[in-house]
Amino acid sequence: MSDGSPPGFLRATRAVLLKDLTLEWRTLDALSAMGLFSLVVLVVFSFAFDRSLQQQVGAQHLVPGVLWVTIAFASIVGLTRSFQLEHHRDSITALALAPVDRGAVFAGKAAANLVQVLVLEAVLVPLSAVLFDYDLVAVAGAMLLLVVLHTLALVEIGTLFAAIAARLGRGEALLATLLLPAVTPVFLSAVLSTRHVLAGEGLAPARQWLLVTAGLDVLYFFVAMLTFEFVLDE
């Protein structure tokens, strides 16, 4: 039984995570918007680079840029919607007044956003393999590692900036302006790592970039945890 004390960090994180995922499951608002956007972008690029050009240039030169640009802008759409419901109902004020650690609120919302973006990527990556004709099975392990590593950094700082954009009553435009410069090193690492993997070289040539991204994962997390409290209080 509860003794009436405020929930701890993990309980509060889990509650926010389940709340966001339950709302998304009921409406599929963010996932449907991200999915439709991503599908259109990938199909357009696949027609722009016909089969002969794809075979001539190679998937390792075409896919990394196309895939990560698609993920970047689709994530902006989803991250913006992660705070829209709280903003429209002014429940973001309730989050600010809740007797829980503000870091737990951030962690829960970031975890929910991470799940949604990973679900999107679980569809996008195989679809890119079909449209651009490369052997995903042969590189599945390396692709899984680099996708999770880079997506984590994107979602961590993206959740913080989405909260700022929601507080200011702005949408995707402000979030893109804040987010894209901050995650440029992450996307450079993602593109270069993906290129090496699709060329059959594995992750070893991109080791330094991957270490930088892992460091950014840690840095973004702690910066967002420390800053999120002030965002909610504004």
Side-chain angles (χ1 to χ4, degrees):
M1 292 180 63
S2 172
D3 58 2
S5 60
F9 185 92
L10 292 179
R11 274 187 62 197
T13 299
R14 180 174 178 270
V16 175
L17 168 63
L18 292 178
K19 173 189 73 72
D20 279 15
L21 291 182
T22 300
L23 289 175
E24 178 58 28
W25 175 251
R26 289 174 180 173
T27 64
L28 295 179
D29 181 49
L31 279 174
S32 60
M34 289 191 294
L36 180 60
F37 174 86
S38 303
L39 177 63
V40 170
V41 172
L42 279 185
V43 170
V44 167
F45 273 113
S46 71
F47 277 96
F49 304 120
D50 58 26
R51 288 291 180 182
S52 61
L53 180 61
Q54 293 177 29
Q55 293 172 356
Q56 180 182 353
V57 176
Q60 69 270 25
H61 296 296
L62 294 177
V63 172
V66 172
L67 179 62
W68 285 103
V69 165
T70 304
I71 290 172
F73 286 97
S75 298
I76 288 172
V77 173
L79 289 167
T80 301
R81 280 160 171 73
S82 71
F83 281 93
Q84 276 187 341
L85 186 60
E86 279 89 353
H87 175 66
H88 289 158
R89 295 183 177 181
D90 201 29
S91 55
I92 196 166
T93 303
L95 284 177
L97 296 175
V100 297
D101 190 327
R102 305 294 176 79
V105 176
F106 165 78
K109 293 197 74 68
N113 288 332
L114 179 63
V115 170
Q116 292 177 41
V117 176
L118 288 176
V119 168
L120 174 71
E121 291 168 338
V123 176
L124 280 187
V125 176
L127 181 59
S128 71
V130 172
L131 294 176
F132 292 93
D133 194 24
Y134 66 89
D135 186 2
L136 178 60
V137 175
V139 297
M143 283 292 288
L144 176 62
L145 176 61
L146 73 88
V147 164
V148 172
L149 187 67
H150 293 90
T151 302
L152 186 58
L154 169 65
V155 168
E156 286 171 348
I157 198 68
T159 300
L160 174 64
F161 287 153
I164 295 173
R167 272 297 191 184
L168 296 175
R170 306 292 181 87
E172 286 92 345
L174 178 60
L175 179 55
T177 302
L178 294 172
L179 179 60
L180 293 179
V183 295
T184 295
V186 175
F187 284 117
L188 289 176
S189 173
V191 169
L192 291 172
S193 301
T194 305
R195 180 187 301 170
H196 286 301
V197 168
L198 295 185
E201 300 168 356
L203 293 173
R207 180 174 177 272
Q208 290 184 334
W209 279 105
L210 295 175
L211 289 174
V212 169
T213 302
L216 289 174
D217 286 344
V218 176
L219 176 64
Y220 287 162
F221 179 76
F222 284 108
V223 167
M225 286 277 287
L226 293 173
T227 310
F228 193 74
E229 178 177 358
F230 301 101
V231 174
L232 286 185
D233 284 340
E234 286 296 326

